[in-house]
Each structure stands twice: as C-alpha cells, then as structure tokens.
Amino acid sequence: MPVFTVHIRDEWLAVPCRDATNTIRWLGHEALKRYMKNKPDNGGITAVKDTRFVVRRCQGLGLLDADDTVEDVLEDNDFVELAIEGDTMSPDFIPYEPGVSHLTAAYREPREYIALDGNSLTSTELVDLGRGRYKIKLTLEAEQKVVLSRELLDTIVKENKVVYGITTGFGKFARTVIPVSKLKELQENLVRSHSAGVGNPLSPERTRMLLALRINVLAKGYSGISPETLHAMIEAFNASCLSFVPEKGTVGASGDLAPLSHLALGLMGEGKMWSPKSGWADAKYVLEAHGLKPISLKPKEGLALINGTQMITSLGAEAVERAQAIARQADIIAALTLEVLKGTTKAFDSDIHKLRPHPGQIEVAQRFRSLLDSDHHPSQIAESHRFCDRVQDAYTMRCCPQVHGVTNDTIKFVLNIINTEINSATDNPMVFSERGETISGGNFHGEYPAKALDFLAIAVHELASISERRIERLCNPSLSELPAFLVNEGGLNSGFMIAHCTAAALVSENKVLCHPSSVDSLSTSAATEDHVSMGGWAARKALRVVEHVEQVLAIELLAACQGIEFLRPLRTTTPLEKVYELVRSVVKPWIKDRFMSPDIEAVHRLLLDQKVWNVAKPYIDKYQSEFIPESRPGSPTAFSLDLPVSSRKRVRLE
C-alpha cells in the first residue's frame, strides 16, 4: 500500500493510501485530519472540508492539481507539502540554487559500484560519485581494518582507560574524564553542539562528495568507527539521503568540524535531509522513507565522523578537476582567437620552448602547433595573411604557452596534493590496532589543501585575465580589423559590447577572490586550536574563481566564432572548424542584437561538459602521436640567414 509523507506547518505526517485512484484533494483532507488530531485546538482548523489549501511536491515544489489521482502524479513514499491558504510558505523548505542539482526526482540509482579502501580514490572518481554515477561498497581488506580498530576502542572502554575523545571531553575539556554511562551522550552532544554552521546548504552533488570522502577516510581503519555505523553511512549514500550541510563555519582546523557535524547530524536522524524523492525534509522521515534507521553513536564515533579535512578536500577536488578541464580548453579557444586575429604561429616553435623547458609551457605550445599547423591542417585564413607586414603578435597571443603553461603546472601540483589528501587519515586521535594504541596528532590541520587551493585560484585566474584582453582585441576594430563589437550596423546593434563588460567584471571580481585565505589564522577553542588554515573559504572561493574563468572563456569562444563569420568564405584549420561547428550547434551567428545570456550559458555548458576538448582532442593526439615534422612556413617578416660554413669545412672545400 502506498504511503505518502505530508508536511503541514510544523508536522510531518505519514498518510497511507489504500486506493491509488483517490485524488490529491482526498490526500490533503486525510493529512488535515491527522494534523488536527495532534493539536489540542485542532490547529485552528474548524472543518476539513472548508479548509482551502494547495499541495506541491517537496522535490521541485511543483504544484499538484487537486483533481488529479494519486497514482498519476505521485510515487510511493513521495514527500508533499500542504500549504493552507493564508499561511506563509513553510520555513522547512530550503531552496538550493536552481540548476545546480542533477539528482532530481527522475534520478535513478546507478548500478555500478566503486570499492573504497581508503587508499586509491581519485579526484575524478570523487566528482563522479558526487554526480550520482556510482554507488559505494567497501573492499574486504577495508572491512577487516575497520573491525580491528573498533575492537581496540572497545577494549579501551572496557578497561576504563583515559584516552582523548574516547573517555574525555574535547578541546579545552580534554582533561575532563567522562563516566562510561555517559559516553554515548558525549558523542551525540559533540555532534549537536558542533552543528553550528551558517549559510546556504551545499548542493546535493557536493554533499554526496563530502559523504563519500568521509566514508573513504573511515575505510582506512584508523578512526575507530564501528562496521555498523560505517555501513549505515554507505546505505545513506547509496540512497542519496543527504544531510543539510551549511557551506560556512569551518576554519579548517581541527578539521571541518561544523560541516562534518551537520553531515553526521542528519545521519543521526536530526536536522534536515535531502533525497531525490523527498527534497528537503526532517532527517528522520527521509531515512524512514528509504527504509533506513538513524545511526546510534558508540564511544569515539562522533569524533570519528566530524574530525578531518573532507569539506576542503571534496570542494577542492571539484575545483581542480574543473580547472584542469577549462585549462586545456583555454588553449583551443586562444588558438581560435589567434586565427581570427590573423596571428602568427612562429611563437610556438618548439626550439623556443626547449630553451625554457617548463613542462606546462612545452605542452601548451605543442597544443597550439597541433591545432594551427598549416601543413598538417591547411588554413585558408592563415594563408590569406602569410605575406603581411606584421612582425609579431601581442603578448595575449604570443605568450600563451608561458601564461597558460604555468597554470597547467600549478594544476598538476594541486592535483597531487588533493589526491594525497583524499586518501589520508585526517582525524584525531588515530587508532593503531597493530600497535594496540591510540595517538593524538595534527593530521586534521587543513594547511596542505588550503595553501594548494589558494595557489590554484591564483593560477587559474590568469586564464580569464589573458582571455579578457583577447576579447578586447576581438571587439576593438582598431586591433582586429573586424566590425566594432563583432556586429553589423553598429550603433543600431551593440553586439558584444556588454559581453566584454561582463568578462571584465568577472576578472575584476576574481582579483579580490584570489587573495589567499590561508595567510589568515584566528585562534579558536580557548587558544587550544591556536593556528588554523581557513581552508574552507580557500576551497569555496577557488570554485568561484574557476566558474568565472569558465564564463569568461565561454564569452571569448562566442566572440571568436562570431569573428569567423566576418572572415568567410575562408576556413580555419580542420580541428578549429570542428570547434566552430560545435558552438554553432547550440548558438546561431549574431546577425542583430538579441538576448545574449542564454548564448553564454549554452557555451558555458559545452565547456563544463568538456565538449570543446572532446572535439579537438583526436586531432591533438594524432598530431603528437605521429611525430609529424614541424612546419615552419616562411614569410617576409620571418627573417633568417643561411647557416655559415664552419672554418674546418671551409678548409676541406678549398
């Protein structure tokens, strides 16, 4: 028999439905009857049939027609909100940013699993877990390690030993010994009191990442978590039952205490939770609707759940993965702009970059050659200006290998730190079952990922900074030899004028966001935690910087494709024509002014999905794998001399 969870004011009510052909109006009346039973004054309702109300799904807030049948519009265990006329909207509804979540009511649990052992999870896999592409299970080895570490903790409790966080208070209260009868309450109080974050909740994807990463760390077997609690966390993850986790409140040492406490609180059946079926609702009802029970904390388990750098690291994993994706697509976009502005490929000659052999610089120059090589991919645009009198290009084109290159090298550096942190035990104290002891340390300190993510923001920002200058060159007729702002009938049409302003605004905002948060520290917990990383803000602002970079490069790609329109019928190289065709599959040419934001969003989505990279990558790979000789076309401005004959050779010739 279907059962629906109906929210009325401050109550959540389970309403069974024996006949699925009943209407939504009937469901509302049944819910009102149950609501009135729980209230001494009937909740101020005089008669059910006279009460006017609307019903909406919790997930997506879609209004339901009162005359529709239950079976047509709802599924078993669905959550709905009944709003009585005259009431304000329930404060229990917590909207998250529209468009952020792909885990909607249409979401179906994946069939594939990732086996976690605490040692081998990658940032790419973590992001995929966040996007709902996999479920989680533990390896056999991880299961065994978890059991052994828990057995040691149980022994400590039975023998009444004094160990920090297990039989004592926390932080400033580390010397306060707690009686055995109150150890469960100690852990619950820890989670409740530390659930003190503020701000909007993390999106469902990011909360899934956070939960998956915490499970991975616990699977290492150094935290003392019980197998029962860890399996309950895995079941919640696999059902996408996700706690309300405010994005603000962590100072990044002793780990991400506030966000991880909110994560644990929902698993305890307290606070709010989200699932694809329910939307936001009371955690106990969300768990119950998915056949799950709240976790019951054992000694040390509250501490094991909340002490670590998982929020910094999970957000950092998304930031560095997106940074890597946009960095390689930035090379493609810049190459297209260079073609439109009739630049030269001379600056990408491999001999130049061998003299300054930074790996990123060499890699970017090679990508430019693979996209622009006129012998391998003939370009009519390049041939059209082969004999022009321009000697060299502006820095924004000529110096792409040097500027984009250091961004690539920084991303690789950050990626290494994040992947190390993903598979690190970062709570306290550590439980060493093989040594039979627990040791207090400082692995929870978030300085490593905090510093790395500050570096990341600074490095990836430069892609937007140089891109904005290229957009200026495309829009400025004195620099581009193209119509002003890339549109005909200028004056009547403004073209890309304000799109460039948007790019400039985003770059300026990034300059402020690039101020490193990890240079700051404020002493907390009565000077017990007297140096902190501020890594939570480092991760959040790194994500914002990366998003702005994506948006600026989306504008440049739009502008470059528009520039191509004014060079027709000439064609660019084959890989860049493929990029142009991809953009035109979602955005038509700019003939006259129109609403531009949807165009920017459409191209931004191409970059997020890495479609620009996927289109060009086969050509880049082929060029590099076949070791095609480098073409060095001559021109009147490419000055060279015949190599002088050596003195020894001259003697032989004489």
Side-chain angles (χ1 to χ4, degrees), residues 466-519:
I466 196 170
S467 173
E468 181 275 329
R469 289 292 80 202
R470 291 194 297 264
I471 297 169
E472 155 68 9
R473 300 191 77 82
L474 287 165
C475 292
N476 189 332
S478 64
L479 300 174
S480 68
E481 301 176 9
L482 298 169
F485 304 110
L486 302 170
V487 70
N488 288 319
E489 296 186 82
L492 175 63
N493 295 306
S494 297
F496 280 69
M497 181 188 293
I498 304 304
H500 174 231
C501 289
T502 297
L506 293 172
V507 169
S508 181
E509 191 171 326
N510 273 1
K511 290 175 184 176
V512 177
L513 292 172
C514 283
H515 178 82
S517 66
S518 61
V519 298

Side-chain angles (χ1 to χ4, degrees), residues 277-313:
K277 183 180 290 291
S278 68
W280 290 110
D282 285 1
K284 61 181 178 180
Y285 292 110
V286 176
L287 291 171
E288 184 181 310
H290 291 81
L292 304 177
K293 293 181 180 179
I295 60 175
S296 178
L297 298 181
K298 301 176 179 64
K300 209 265 184 186
E301 288 198 321
L303 195 58
L305 290 175
I306 74 170
N307 206 342
T309 61
Q310 280 66 59
M311 178 169 160
I312 305 171
T313 308

Side-chain angles (χ1 to χ4, degrees), residues 1-4 74-78 277:
M1 178 172 56
V3 177
F4 304 101
L74 295 177
E75 296 178 11
D76 187 21
N77 280 330
D78 264 352
K277 183 180 290 291

Side-chain angles (χ1 to χ4, degrees), residues 121 159 163 234 424 497 622:
L121 185 65
E159 296 179 359
V163 179
I234 293 171
S424 297
M497 181 188 293
K622 184 177 181 181

Side-chain angles (χ1 to χ4, degrees), residues 84-326:
I84 298 171
E85 190 176 83
D87 286 357
T88 57
M89 188 171 181
S90 168
D92 289 313
F93 273 118
I94 308 160
Y96 54 86
E97 186 180 345
V100 168
S101 179
H102 301 291
L103 306 176
T104 63
Y107 167 74
R108 293 292 179 266
E109 291 182 9
R111 295 182 179 179
E112 293 185 58
Y113 285 82
I114 286 182
L116 298 184
D117 58 7
N119 301 309
S120 56
L121 185 65
T122 67
S123 56
T124 303
E125 290 171 332
L126 182 59
V127 171
D128 284 341
L129 284 166
R131 290 172 179 166
R133 294 176 180 169
Y134 301 98
K135 287 184 178 182
I136 281 174
K137 62 182 179 181
L138 296 181
T139 64
L140 180 60
E141 182 183 6
E143 295 262 14
Q144 293 168 344
K145 285 185 176 180
V146 168
V147 169
L148 289 174
S149 69
R150 186 65 216 177
E151 287 175 350
L152 175 59
L153 276 184
D154 290 340
T155 301
I156 289 170
V157 173
K158 285 177 185 175
E159 296 179 359
N160 291 317
K161 293 184 178 180
V162 177
V163 179
Y164 171 74
I166 302 172
T167 55
T168 74
F170 311 98
K172 189 69 175 176
F173 299 118
R175 296 183 181 180
T176 304
V177 179
I178 310 298
V180 173
S181 62
K182 291 187 176 291
L183 292 185
K184 182 177 187 299
E185 184 181 354
L186 170 70
Q187 299 301 317
E188 291 172 344
N189 287 345
L190 173 70
V191 172
R192 290 172 183 138
S193 66
H194 285 46
S195 297
V198 298
N200 293 326
L202 296 179
S203 69
E205 285 89 347
R206 289 173 183 169
T207 309
R208 273 179 64 95
M209 289 173 64
L210 180 62
L211 179 54
L213 187 51
R214 194 63 202 166
I215 291 169
N216 187 60
V217 169
L218 296 174
K220 289 183 76 70
Y222 292 96
S223 304
I225 198 79
S226 68
E228 297 79 16
T229 298
L230 187 53
H231 284 134
M233 295 173 70
I234 293 171
E235 288 175 350
F237 176 88
N238 289 341
S240 282
C241 293
L242 307 171
S243 304
F244 176 95
V245 181
E247 63 180 4
K248 300 176 185 177
T250 177
V251 294
S254 171
D256 295 317
L257 291 173
L260 287 172
S261 294
H262 282 277
L263 186 73
L265 190 70
L267 296 169
M268 290 166 54
E270 301 180 26
K272 301 297 176 188
M273 228 178 198
W274 182 96
S275 80
K277 183 180 290 291
S278 68
W280 290 110
D282 285 1
K284 61 181 178 180
Y285 292 110
V286 176
L287 291 171
E288 184 181 310
H290 291 81
L292 304 177
K293 293 181 180 179
I295 60 175
S296 178
L297 298 181
K298 301 176 179 64
K300 209 265 184 186
E301 288 198 321
L303 195 58
L305 290 175
I306 74 170
N307 206 342
T309 61
Q310 280 66 59
M311 178 169 160
I312 305 171
T313 308
S314 59
L315 297 184
E318 181 187 344
V320 75
E321 285 288 319
R322 287 173 65 175
Q324 187 175 54
I326 194 59

Side-chain angles (χ1 to χ4, degrees), residues 417-542:
I417 287 181
I418 292 297
N419 278 316
T420 300
E421 195 75 7
I422 283 172
N423 295 293
S424 297
T426 56
D427 52 331
N428 183 57
M430 295 295 184
V431 181
F432 292 91
S433 58
E434 66 276 13
R435 291 170 54 174
E437 64 178 312
T438 64
I439 305 175
S440 288
N443 277 4
F444 51 72
H445 202 294
E447 200 72 16
Y448 260 102
K451 280 285 187 287
L453 292 168
D454 279 337
F455 299 159
L456 179 70
I458 292 168
V460 78
H461 157 71
E462 211 59 42
L463 297 177
S465 180
I466 196 170
S467 173
E468 181 275 329
R469 289 292 80 202
R470 291 194 297 264
I471 297 169
E472 155 68 9
R473 300 191 77 82
L474 287 165
C475 292
N476 189 332
S478 64
L479 300 174
S480 68
E481 301 176 9
L482 298 169
F485 304 110
L486 302 170
V487 70
N488 288 319
E489 296 186 82
L492 175 63
N493 295 306
S494 297
F496 280 69
M497 181 188 293
I498 304 304
H500 174 231
C501 289
T502 297
L506 293 172
V507 169
S508 181
E509 191 171 326
N510 273 1
K511 290 175 184 176
V512 177
L513 292 172
C514 283
H515 178 82
S517 66
S518 61
V519 298
D520 186 24
S521 176
L522 292 170
S523 179
T524 60
S525 192
T528 305
E529 298 159 6
D530 58 347
H531 183 277
V532 299
S533 72
M534 297 301 177
W537 176 225
R540 285 168 46 228
K541 70 184 183 65

